[in-house]
Coordinates of all heavy atoms in Angstrom, one line a residue:
I1 N -14.5 3.4 -6.1 CA -14.3 2.0 -6.1 C -13.0 1.8 -5.3 O -12.7 0.7 -4.7 CB -14.0 1.5 -7.6 CG1 -13.8 -0.1 -7.6 CG2 -12.8 2.2 -8.2 CD1 -13.8 -0.5 -8.9
Y2 N -12.1 2.8 -5.0 CA -10.9 2.6 -4.3 C -11.0 3.0 -2.8 O -10.0 3.0 -2.1 CB -9.7 3.3 -5.0 CG -9.6 3.0 -6.5 CD1 -9.8 4.0 -7.5 CD2 -9.2 1.7 -6.9 CE1 -9.6 3.7 -8.9 CE2 -9.1 1.3 -8.2 CZ -9.3 2.4 -9.2 OH -9.2 2.1 -10.5
A3 N -12.1 3.4 -2.4 CA -12.4 3.9 -1.1 C -12.1 2.7 -0.1 O -12.4 1.6 -0.5 CB -13.8 4.4 -0.8
G4 N -11.5 3.0 1.1 CA -11.3 2.0 2.1 C -9.9 1.9 2.7 O -9.1 3.0 2.4
L5 N -9.7 1.1 3.4 CA -8.3 0.8 4.1 C -7.4 -0.1 3.1 O -7.8 -1.1 2.8 CB -8.6 0.1 5.4 CG -7.3 0.1 6.2 CD1 -6.7 1.5 6.8 CD2 -7.6 -0.8 7.6
W6 N -6.2 0.5 3.1 CA -5.2 -0.2 2.3 C -3.9 -0.3 3.0 O -3.7 0.6 3.9 CB -4.9 0.4 1.0 CG -6.1 0.6 0.0 CD1 -7.3 1.3 0.2 CD2 -6.3 -0.2 -1.2 NE1 -8.1 1.1 -0.9 CE2 -7.5 0.2 -1.8 CE3 -5.4 -1.0 -1.9 CZ2 -8.0 -0.3 -3.0 CZ3 -5.9 -1.6 -3.0 CH2 -7.2 -1.3 -3.5
G7 N -3.1 -1.3 2.7 CA -1.8 -1.5 3.4 C -0.8 -1.8 2.5 O -1.0 -2.4 1.5
G8 N 0.5 -1.4 2.9 CA 1.6 -1.8 2.0 C 2.9 -1.2 2.5 O 3.0 -0.7 3.6
T9 N 3.9 -1.3 1.5 CA 5.3 -0.9 2.0 C 5.9 -0.1 0.7 O 5.3 -0.3 -0.4 CB 6.2 -2.1 2.2 OG1 6.2 -2.9 1.2 CG2 5.7 -2.8 3.6
F10 N 7.1 0.5 0.9 CA 7.7 1.1 -0.2 C 8.6 -0.1 -0.8 O 9.1 -0.9 -0.1 CB 8.7 2.2 0.3 CG 8.0 3.4 0.6 CD1 7.4 3.7 1.8 CD2 7.9 4.4 -0.5 CE1 6.7 5.0 2.0 CE2 7.2 5.6 -0.3 CZ 6.7 5.8 1.0
G11 N 8.7 0.0 -2.1 CA 9.6 -1.0 -2.9 C 8.7 -1.7 -3.8 O 7.5 -1.8 -3.7
W12 N 9.4 -2.1 -4.8 CA 8.8 -2.9 -5.9 C 9.8 -4.1 -6.3 O 10.9 -4.0 -6.2 CB 8.6 -2.2 -7.3 CG 7.9 -2.9 -8.3 CD1 8.5 -3.7 -9.4 CD2 6.5 -3.1 -8.6 NE1 7.6 -4.3 -10.1 CE2 6.3 -4.0 -9.6 CE3 5.4 -2.6 -7.8 CZ2 5.1 -4.4 -10.1 CZ3 4.1 -3.0 -8.3 CH2 3.9 -3.9 -9.3
P13 N 9.2 -5.3 -6.4 CA 7.8 -5.7 -6.6 C 7.1 -6.0 -5.3 O 7.7 -6.0 -4.2 CB 8.1 -7.1 -7.4 CG 9.3 -7.7 -6.9 CD 10.2 -6.4 -6.6
P14 N 5.8 -6.3 -5.5 CA 4.9 -6.4 -4.3 C 4.7 -7.8 -3.8 O 3.7 -8.1 -3.1 CB 3.5 -5.8 -4.8 CG 3.5 -6.2 -6.2 CD 4.9 -6.1 -6.8
G15 N 5.7 -8.7 -4.2 CA 5.4 -10.2 -3.7 C 5.4 -10.3 -2.3 O 6.2 -9.7 -1.6
N16 N 4.5 -11.3 -1.8 CA 4.3 -11.5 -0.5 C 5.6 -12.1 0.3 O 5.9 -11.9 1.4 CB 3.2 -12.5 -0.2 CG 1.8 -11.7 -0.4 OD1 1.8 -10.6 -0.3 ND2 0.9 -12.6 -0.5
H17 N 6.4 -12.9 -0.5 CA 7.5 -13.4 0.1 C 8.9 -12.9 -0.3 O 9.9 -13.4 -0.4 CB 7.5 -15.0 -0.3 CG 6.3 -15.7 0.1 ND1 6.2 -16.4 1.4 CD2 5.1 -15.9 -0.5 CE1 5.1 -16.9 1.5 NE2 4.4 -16.7 0.5
S18 N 8.8 -11.6 -0.8 CA 9.9 -11.0 -1.4 C 11.0 -10.6 -0.2 O 10.6 -9.9 0.7 CB 9.4 -9.7 -2.0 OG 10.6 -8.9 -2.5
E19 N 12.2 -11.1 -0.4 CA 13.1 -10.8 0.5 C 13.5 -9.3 0.5 O 14.0 -8.7 1.4 CB 14.4 -11.6 0.3 CG 14.4 -13.1 0.6 CD 14.2 -13.4 2.0 OE1 14.6 -12.6 2.8 OE2 13.5 -14.3 2.4
D20 N 13.2 -8.6 -0.7 CA 13.5 -7.2 -0.9 C 12.7 -6.4 0.2 O 13.1 -5.3 0.5 CB 13.2 -6.9 -2.2 CG 13.4 -5.3 -2.5 OD1 14.6 -4.9 -2.3 OD2 12.5 -4.6 -2.9
K21 N 11.5 -7.0 0.6 CA 10.7 -6.2 1.4 C 10.8 -6.4 3.0 O 10.2 -5.8 3.8 CB 9.2 -6.5 1.0 CG 8.9 -5.7 -0.3 CD 7.4 -5.4 -0.3 CE 7.1 -4.4 -1.4 NZ 5.7 -4.1 -1.5
L22 N 11.6 -7.4 3.4 CA 11.8 -7.8 4.6 C 12.5 -6.5 5.5 O 13.4 -5.9 4.9 CB 12.7 -8.9 4.8 CG 12.1 -10.3 4.5 CD1 13.1 -11.4 4.7 CD2 10.8 -10.6 5.2
G23 N 11.9 -6.1 6.5 CA 12.4 -5.0 7.2 C 11.8 -3.7 6.8 O 12.1 -2.7 7.3
K24 N 11.0 -3.7 5.9 CA 10.3 -2.5 5.4 C 9.2 -2.1 6.3 O 8.5 -2.9 6.9 CB 9.7 -2.7 4.0 CG 10.8 -2.9 2.8 CD 11.5 -1.5 2.4 CE 12.4 -1.8 1.3 NZ 13.0 -0.5 0.9
A25 N 9.0 -0.8 6.4 CA 7.9 -0.3 7.4 C 6.6 -0.5 6.7 O 6.3 -0.3 5.5 CB 8.0 1.2 7.6
L26 N 5.7 -1.0 7.6 CA 4.3 -1.3 7.1 C 3.5 0.0 7.3 O 3.4 0.5 8.4 CB 3.8 -2.5 7.9 CG 2.2 -2.8 7.6 CD1 2.0 -3.3 6.2 CD2 1.8 -3.9 8.5
F27 N 2.8 0.4 6.2 CA 1.8 1.5 6.4 C 0.5 1.2 6.1 O 0.1 0.2 5.4 CB 2.3 2.5 5.1 CG 3.5 3.4 5.3 CD1 4.7 2.7 5.0 CD2 3.4 4.7 5.7 CE1 5.9 3.6 5.3 CE2 4.6 5.4 5.9 CZ 5.8 4.9 5.7
F28 N -0.5 1.8 6.9 CA -1.9 1.7 6.6 C -2.3 3.1 6.1 O -2.1 4.0 6.6 CB -2.7 1.4 7.9 CG -2.5 -0.1 8.3 CD1 -1.7 -0.9 7.6 CD2 -3.2 -0.5 9.5 CE1 -1.6 -2.3 7.9 CE2 -3.2 -1.9 9.9 CZ -2.4 -2.8 9.2
L29 N -3.0 3.0 5.0 CA -3.6 4.3 4.4 C -5.0 4.1 4.2 O -5.6 3.1 3.8 CB -2.9 4.5 3.0 CG -1.4 4.6 2.9 CD1 -0.9 4.9 1.5 CD2 -0.8 5.6 3.9
L30 N -5.7 5.3 4.6 CA -7.2 5.4 4.3 C -7.4 6.2 3.0 O -7.1 7.3 2.9 CB -7.8 6.1 5.4 CG -9.4 6.1 5.5 CD1 -10.0 4.6 5.7 CD2 -9.9 6.9 6.6
L31 N -8.0 5.6 2.1 CA -8.2 6.2 0.7 C -9.7 6.8 0.7 O -10.6 6.0 1.0 CB -8.1 5.1 -0.4 CG -6.6 5.1 -1.0 CD1 -5.6 4.7 0.1 CD2 -6.5 4.3 -2.1
S32 N -9.8 7.9 0.4 CA -11.1 8.6 0.4 C -11.2 9.7 -0.9 O -10.2 9.9 -1.5 CB -11.3 9.4 1.6 OG -10.5 10.3 1.8
Y33 N -12.4 10.1 -1.2 CA -12.5 10.9 -2.4 C -12.8 12.2 -1.9 O -13.7 12.6 -0.9 CB -13.7 10.4 -3.2 CG -13.2 9.1 -4.0 CD1 -13.1 7.9 -3.4 CD2 -12.9 9.1 -5.4 CE1 -12.8 6.7 -4.1 CE2 -12.5 8.0 -6.0 CZ -12.5 6.8 -5.5 OH -12.1 5.6 -6.2
E34 N -12.4 13.3 -2.7 CA -12.8 14.7 -2.5 C -13.1 15.5 -3.7 O -12.4 14.9 -4.8 CB -11.6 15.4 -1.8 CG -11.4 15.0 -0.3 CD -10.3 15.9 0.4 OE1 -9.9 16.9 -0.3 OE2 -10.0 15.6 1.5
E35 N -14.0 16.3 -3.8 CA -14.2 17.1 -5.0 C -13.4 18.4 -4.8 O -13.6 19.2 -3.8 CB -15.7 17.5 -5.0 CG -16.5 16.2 -5.4 CD -16.4 15.7 -6.8 OE1 -16.0 16.5 -7.7 OE2 -16.6 14.5 -6.9
S36 N -12.7 18.8 -5.9 CA -11.9 20.1 -5.8 C -11.9 20.7 -7.3 O -11.5 20.1 -8.2 CB -10.6 19.9 -5.4 OG -9.8 21.1 -5.4

């Protein structure tokens, strides 16, 4: 269910207009599943 492309930054909370997140690096992560 979580497979696919996700984006985000470091820091909490995740609000779109959060001043706390201005200037934070934007990350793109590819989520995939493995059996181990």
